[in-house]
Amino acid sequence: AINIPKECNATTIRDEFLKYGKVVDMIFLEAKGQAFIEYESPLSAANCTASYKGDMQVHISTKTQLTHKKESEKNKILFITFSNVTFPLTADLLYTSFLPYGLVQKVLIYSSQETQYGLVEMNTNDSAEKVKAALNGKNLFSSANTMYIE
């Protein structure tokens, strides 16, 4: 779920999504206004996606189980928030920008309300760390399309 209202907490989100089936796990990213909900059955997840009519956006994933990342664990998938977007963002642009730091596996660009985001999967955790160190807070264009990488 994305676009979660700021007044929501983990309990209210879990209660909201229990209507569609047994929730066995949940990761709530309060600062990002996002939650990942794991249902006991794929049918419950499909019912939620088809039936939910609230203010949040709900999408279904092909993953069948949530994986909790340890705080110290490095990740080869980078989450990018863009600000000051003046020029179009494309997967090719991100691919070309990240390629000098390692092999790029996948690129996804999406938007939520007026903010644009990207997910880039590098081939190794080390290459992802190199990208983050080199490009976090940098612009893709002169004074435009600033990237904040997590």
Side-chain angles (χ1 to χ4, degrees):
I2 59 176
N3 296 336
I4 295 174
K6 296 206 182 299
E7 62 273 7
C8 287
N9 60 37
T11 303
T12 59
I13 293 166
R14 183 178 294 273
D15 290 348
E16 179 71 22
F17 289 98
L18 275 171
K19 298 174 192 173
Y20 305 99
K22 183 176 179 184
V23 174
V24 295
D25 198 3
M26 184 178 82
I27 299 172
F28 178 40
L29 306 172
E30 186 175 7
K32 294 180 178 152
Q34 299 177 352
F36 297 89
I37 294 111
E38 179 183 341
Y39 283 102
E40 186 174 53
S41 77
L43 181 59
S44 296
N47 286 339
C48 175
T49 305
S51 305
Y52 181 77
K53 302 290 186 231
D55 295 333
M56 298 175 261
Q57 292 179 25
V58 176
H59 305 278
I60 196 163
S61 170
T62 56
K63 291 216 176 221
T64 57
Q65 187 174 13
L66 292 177
T67 304
H68 293 268
K69 184 178 98 171
K70 295 176 186 169
E71 195 61 40
S72 62
E73 196 174 287
K74 293 181 180 178
N75 193 342
K76 66 180 185 174
I77 299 174
L78 301 167
F79 176 75
I80 305 128
T81 304
F82 295 93
S83 68
N84 191 25
V85 178
T86 352
F87 300 104
L89 291 168
T90 66
D92 287 340
L93 174 64
L94 284 182
Y95 179 88
T96 304
S97 300
F98 285 44
L99 192 57
Y101 305 97
L103 185 60
V104 178
Q105 300 287 316
K106 295 178 189 170
V107 177
L108 172 69
I109 297 173
Y110 66 99
S111 57
S112 174
Q113 295 176 345
E114 296 179 14
T115 305
Q116 291 193 286
Y117 302 98
L119 290 169
V120 176
E121 181 179 355
M122 301 300 290
N123 66 325
T124 66
N125 294 346
D126 288 339
S127 60
E129 288 300 311
K130 288 178 187 174
V131 167
K132 196 184 301 186
L135 299 179
N136 189 31
K138 302 290 182 28
N139 297 322
L140 280 171
F141 297 98
S142 180
S143 302
N145 295 33
T146 309
M147 297 180 288
Y148 297 98
I149 304 172
E150 298 177 44

